[in-house]
Amino acid sequence: MKTIKILSACLLLLPLASCTQMQYKGDAVTEQKVEALLSKMTLEEKIGQMNQISSYGNIEDMSGLIKKGEIGSILNEVDPVRVNALQRVAVEESRLGIPLLMARDVIHGFKTIFPIPLGQAASFDPQVAEDGARIAAIEASSVGVRWTFAPMIDISRDPRWGRIAESCGEDTYLSSVMGAAMVKGFQGDSLNSPTSIAACAKHFVGYGASEGGRDYNSTFISERSLRNVYFPPFEAAAKAGVATFMTSFNDNDGVPSTGNNFILREVLRNEWGFDGLVVTDWNSAREMIAHGIVADDKEAAAQAVNAGVDMEMVSYTFVKYLPEQIKAGKVKEAVIDEAVRNILRVKFRLGLFDNPYVDEKRPSVMYDESHLAAAKRAAEESAILLKNDKEVLPLKENIRSIAIIGPMADAPHDQLGTWIFDGEKSHTKTPLTAAREMYGNKLQIIYEQGLAYSRDKNTAGISKAVSAAQRADVVVAFVGEESILSGEAHCLADLNLQGAQSELIAALAKIGKPLITVVMAGRQLTIGKEAEASDAVLYSFHPGTMGGPAIVDLLFGKSVPSGKTPVTFLKTVGQVPLYYAHNNSGRPASSHFKPLDQVPLEASQTSEGSSSSYMDVGVAPLYPFGYGLSYTTFKFGKPQLSSKELSGKDVLTVTFDLENTGKYEGTEVAQLYVQDKVASVTRPVKELKRFTRVTLKPGEKKNVSFELPISELAFWNLDKVKTVEPGDFGLWVGPDSQTGEEVFFKVVD
Ligand code: GLC
């Protein structure tokens, strides 16, 4: 039996972090160049570097500002000819010739679109995240983009919040690993390679906890929760050498991130040693007026720059008001110098002074076959098999006809998901086009939309869909969300399928044919009723350009689902927030749950409940975090521990057998969870600490091992110290956050 040793995904990143760390700490040559240039700059030129505008088309107008040295960065210009024209003004006509930093939101692909980040997280495969980012960087840099505002690594535990789509989900460790992998992909082995683009850890910090799941809303996260839950993915990105950070829109505990000295200076600079640049979010400096912590633009400029912001996105208060704020003594020029150092350092690291221009003559790299293949693989690994009764999947060889039904079966725009500026729907391969291309000559493919789009309430098309389904051996329904229903400012109070989609599924289920429901969405939806009505459910967060071939190959068994839920799926939105790494409370939700209609009339006061639950729906999720089925089955052996007693300096080795007990080759995502049983503050009932994908042939068994340094069990405790406290720990290895035999070990002083 083969033994495979799994180093932590983070450990795998360590070599990169350490070499990047050295370069990252500001190598002497770059620092000399920065100082030499800074010493020549006027105050206006310094402040100009701190100013970012969004391209508004008028080249002459922008060129005038650039020539004056009033602009340091431009976002949303992706025409290489215009990029070079603007860059030429900066480099050849401005007094000091400082190149511009050209930026774009390249969130999950530039032209070749990958699954939305929430979908990539479902792959539990850092390589998928890294490859997607690398390809996005190759495509984006080919038009002159050298800075992307990604990865978005906000811990997201509220699916009402539309931006959960852009995140890596609810878990601190998963987001840390996936975010660091994306940084590596965007930035490559060296930031000054022409295909590398500066990554941006955003939105710093706590934005995913916006109250009520309403975008831009206030958050109330304690410092302990910041440090134990929300900071780690950003610290991991910093350790991975991320070049930039972006401040978040939210105010946390009364302080907007864009004016928050604690997070931007004390933590980011002083504790983590970050020496890249910090940019505000769009207009978020000025929005501190609406927040009510500054009275006007002038105060906003001072608050942002004194708190630790280096560059202002589009609100222009720095250029307009910092000179007079310096004269008034509200801002020291030394603070400006520090901000400009950070900006120049990133520009030197990107090699912009040596190679400011993009090669306009370079043959297009867009939609390269290898890019499309990587996007297909990502979409395959991101799909989650949530149900497969009677093994209706994979579709059997003997079927002669298939009915493809639903508003998401042939939705080339919506399949791409949120935050798409440059991907073209004309390149999208939908499930319908893929099925026709791949099986049109073998199968009768009957297609009916049923509904025109996901919000369509017009049920007139359902009868045609039903009659189409009646003519087929098997029915595959494609439902979900139009892409605009998730993403920034697109929040929902109701997570049920929109429009008449639920009626469509119910009508198809009545026919009695095998019904497979495929969901394409930007968040986990409350699909309990539809899942109940379906024989199988495949959840594919908006899967991107190659979602169609990926889903068709999965349906026909050419590839086998391996995705796992990166977020907890809910029975109803009323359960929000519901996540696996929760505290136990003094009255944990017991398994006892009596449905409301079974509660006796005039029941005595203390007869029902007395645990942290809901009388109507309970607290069991629809599907737990880390859950996903395969076409095969796997068996986990009891985890063996290298020791039952370890000190904070030790490394715990956990080994276990994993066997494929089914009929298909498949990949399992083995997950390791830990619980600190007794600590100086309450700790989560479980925390993911390792995961790995293991591919096994039918009957194959492997001995798998995880290395877990005990130092990774550290948390910020009652004494406000990050430390590992001695005591008892529980440990599980299994296929999801709810399964696995618990074993125990002690940490000793
Ligand atoms: C937006 C988003 C941010 C994005 C920026 C630039 O408002 O909050 O994620 O990167 O503006 O488009």
Side-chain angles (χ1 to χ4, degrees):
M1 174 177 37
K2 237 166 86 186
T3 294
I4 53 175
K5 191 177 274 298
I6 309 291
L7 274 172
S8 114
C10 279
L11 272 181
L12 293 176
L13 292 173
L14 204 53
L16 170 90
S18 55
C19 80
T20 318
Q21 198 86 21
M22 272 171 341
Q23 181 213 8
Y24 189 61
K25 278 294 164 211
D27 55 286
V29 172
T30 302
E31 294 313 303
Q32 280 156 11
K33 289 178 185 172
V34 167
E35 289 309 321
L37 182 48
L38 184 68
S39 65
K40 297 179 193 145
M41 295 172 77
T42 65
L43 178 62
E44 285 65 27
E45 286 166 335
K46 292 176 186 176
I47 295 170
Q49 284 300 305
M50 300 166 70
N51 184 36
Q52 179 184 63
I53 65 169
S54 182
S55 175
Y56 49 86
N58 183 327
I59 283 257
E60 293 64 41
D61 211 27
M62 288 191 282
S63 299
L65 299 174
I66 295 165
K67 200 169 173 178
K68 275 196 322 189
E70 197 170 292
I71 296 174
S73 171
I74 297 179
L75 73 143
N76 297 331
E77 184 52 73
V78 291
D79 172 341
V81 174
R82 291 165 54 88
V83 165
N84 278 343
L86 294 166
Q87 194 67 284
R88 201 161 290 115
V89 173
V91 172
E92 298 170 22
E93 296 178 33
S94 77
R95 191 177 77 87
L96 291 170
I98 301 172
L100 296 163
L101 185 46
M102 306 306 277
R104 184 69 157 180
D105 287 282
V106 184
I107 309 300
H108 51 106
F110 184 67
K111 290 284 185 181
T112 304
I113 303 302
F114 282 70
I116 56 172
L118 190 59
Q120 292 184 42
S123 72
F124 280 69
D125 187 347
Q127 198 58 52
V128 155
E130 181 181 337
D131 292 348
R134 182 87 297 268
I135 287 165
I138 290 167
E139 292 191 353
S141 59
S142 75
V143 298
V145 171
R146 296 298 311 276
W147 184 14
T148 178
F149 301 127
M152 190 274 215
I153 40 183
D154 300 300
I155 297 301
S156 308
R157 295 174 166 176
D158 189 336
R160 295 172 296 180
W161 189 51
R163 305 200 75 168
I164 195 168
E166 305 165 53
S167 79
C168 295
E170 73 179 53
D171 183 67
T172 296
Y173 180 72
L174 178 61
S175 297
S176 299
V177 171
M178 299 303 272
M182 289 173 185
V183 168
K184 193 174 171 209
F186 286 128
Q187 299 191 168
D189 295 332
S190 168
L191 209 45
N192 65 12
S193 148
T195 66
S196 294
I197 61 178
C200 182
K202 76 180 188 182
H203 308 80
F204 194 52
V205 70
Y207 187 24
S210 298
E211 192 169 57
R214 286 203 323 278
D215 207 356
Y216 316 116
N217 207 4
S218 299
T219 60
F220 303 91
I221 308 169
S222 69
E223 182 173 355
R224 182 165 294 111
S225 290
L226 280 178
R227 288 183 178 279
N228 290 335
V229 177
Y230 292 88
F231 279 172
F234 288 93
E235 188 174 7
K239 283 206 172 75
V242 73
T244 72
F245 266 64
M246 181 187 289
T247 63
S248 60
F249 285 120
N250 58 297
D251 59 313
N252 185 54
D253 196 18
V255 184
S257 299
T258 305
N260 189 330
N261 186 70
F262 165 65
I263 63 171
L264 298 182
R265 288 196 187 284
E266 281 180 48
V267 174
L268 185 57
R269 301 288 182 186
N270 301 343
E271 288 184 27
W272 297 351
F274 177 66
D275 67 357
L277 76 84
V278 174
V279 65
T280 72
D281 202 335
W282 186 283
N283 201 43
S284 67
R286 171 172 291 131
E287 287 173 10
M288 289 194 282
I289 300 169
H291 275 292
I293 67 152
V294 293
D296 54 29
D297 282 0
K298 194 163 51 169
E299 287 184 14
Q303 174 87 17
V305 79
N306 284 331
V309 165
D310 301 315
M311 187 180 280
E312 176 185 24
M313 189 185 289
V314 308
S315 37
Y316 240 97
T317 67
F318 286 13
V319 166
K320 284 184 186 150
Y321 300 106
L322 282 182
E324 72 179 88
Q325 287 290 51
I326 292 164
K327 281 202 188 73
K330 301 279 189 213
V331 174
K332 292 185 173 41
E333 185 158 357
V335 169
I336 303 297
D337 289 351
E338 201 45 38
V340 176
R341 281 192 186 94
N342 295 331
I343 294 166
L344 296 179
R345 189 176 297 123
V346 172
K347 290 187 174 183
F348 275 112
R349 283 179 177 161
L350 279 164
L352 286 176
F353 288 86
D354 302 326
N355 300 299
Y357 303 114
V358 62
D359 176 358
E360 295 168 33
K361 304 241 176 333
R362 180 177 161 184
S364 170
V365 294
M366 310 302 182
Y367 304 112
D368 181 274
E369 278 311 309
S370 64
H371 298 179
L372 295 172
K376 177 175 179 275
R377 178 183 150 225
E380 280 171 1
E381 291 196 19
S382 302
I384 309 164
L385 183 62
L386 295 173
K387 181 181 181 182
N388 191 22
D389 283 3
K390 299 174 279 190
E391 294 192 350
V392 288
L393 287 179
L395 297 176
K396 304 304 174 274
E397 292 291 327
N398 62 354
I399 65 165
R400 306 267 50 80
S401 58
I402 175 174
I404 292 183
I405 308 288
M408 296 301 287
D410 193 30
H413 169 83
D414 293 308
Q415 176 175 316
L416 297 180
T418 186
W419 279 102
I420 301 300
F421 288 112
D422 305 291
E424 295 145 303
K425 69 175 189 177
S426 56
H427 287 265
T428 304
K429 284 206 177 294
T430 66
L432 178 65
T433 47
R436 282 175 171 162
E437 278 172 17
M438 298 154 80
Y439 291 90
N441 56 355
K442 286 178 249 174
L443 283 179
Q444 187 192 3
I445 296 175
I446 308 162
Y447 168 61
E448 278 296 338
Q449 259 194 336
L451 301 168
Y453 53 95
S454 70
R455 287 169 292 159
D456 188 3
K457 294 186 173 68
N458 180 350
T459 56
I462 291 182
S463 55
K464 267 181 86 178
V466 168
S467 56
Q470 280 164 335
R471 299 198 307 274
D473 293 340
V474 68
V475 183
V476 186
F478 291 85
V479 294
E481 291 182 310
E482 293 149 77
S483 57
I484 198 64
L485 301 183
S486 62
E488 183 173 350
H490 302 150
C491 303
L492 294 169
D494 180 345
L495 301 179
N496 292 324
L497 285 172
Q498 296 285 335
Q501 295 184 99
S502 203
E503 290 86 329
L504 174 64
I505 298 289
L508 294 171
K510 276 203 197 92
I511 299 167
K513 298 274 178 79
L515 171 61
I516 293 103
T517 295
V518 179
V519 184
M520 291 190 198
R523 53 164 63 81
Q524 68 273 42
L525 296 169
T526 45
I527 55 161
K529 197 167 59 172
E530 295 76 17
E532 181 66 32
S534 307
D535 297 297
V537 178
L538 188 70
Y539 211 89
S540 165
F541 296 100
H542 290 126
T545 304
M546 295 298 284
I551 290 169
V552 170
D553 272 355
L554 288 165
L555 293 174
F556 282 89
K558 293 281 184 310
S559 51
V560 177
S562 58
K564 299 282 184 175
T565 50
V567 282
T568 300
F569 277 59
L570 315 177
K571 286 177 180 155
T572 167
V573 69
Q575 289 180 307
V576 170
L578 191 66
Y579 51 94
Y580 87 91
H582 61 82
N583 289 349
N584 210 17
S585 83
R587 294 194 179 187
S590 62
S591 53
H592 156 79
F593 164 60
K594 186 182 290 176
L596 213 51
D597 55 13
Q598 290 172 24
V599 174
L601 295 175
E602 297 184 9
S604 66
Q605 171 53 34
T606 55
S607 61
E608 301 301 327
S610 81
S611 72
S612 172
S613 184
Y614 300 103
M615 288 184 79
D616 47 359
V617 299
V619 286
L622 182 63
Y623 303 107
F625 173 85
Y627 173 84
L629 301 174
S630 171
Y631 293 152
T632 191
T633 52
F634 296 97
K635 181 169 170 250
F636 282 78
K638 180 172 179 177
Q640 305 301 316
L641 306 185
S642 56
S643 170
K644 295 278 190 180
E645 273 201 9
L646 303 103
S647 81
K649 297 183 188 58
D650 291 336
V651 174
L652 171 65
T653 301
V654 182
T655 54
F656 59 96
D657 286 343
L658 183 59
E659 184 178 1
N660 180 338
T661 50
K663 352 198 254 283
Y664 296 90
E665 178 172 317
T667 300
E668 176 61 290
V669 178
Q671 302 156 47
L672 183 150
Y673 295 87
V674 173
Q675 181 188 17
D676 191 340
K677 295 290 183 186
V678 178
S680 59
V681 293
T682 53
R683 301 288 296 130
V685 295
K686 268 188 184 179
E687 286 182 293
L688 180 69
K689 290 295 179 185
R690 288 292 179 271
F691 61 82
T692 188
R693 294 170 57 87
V694 183
T695 300
L696 297 170
K697 292 183 175 25
E700 187 180 5
K701 184 193 284 190
K702 279 183 186 167
N703 186 259
V704 183
S705 77
F706 286 122
E707 308 273 297
L708 178 63
I710 296 302
S711 57
E712 287 190 31
L713 304 182
F715 66 99
W716 205 67
N717 72 358
L718 185 65
D719 299 328
K720 300 189 176 182
V721 172
K722 184 169 181 180
T723 184
V724 181
E725 292 184 352
D728 295 328
F729 285 78
L731 182 146
W732 298 259
V733 172
D736 60 55
S737 58
Q738 284 189 345
T739 311
E741 181 179 353
E742 184 175 15
V743 293
F744 303 90
F745 66 93
K746 257 186 198 317
V747 172
V748 295
D749 269 333

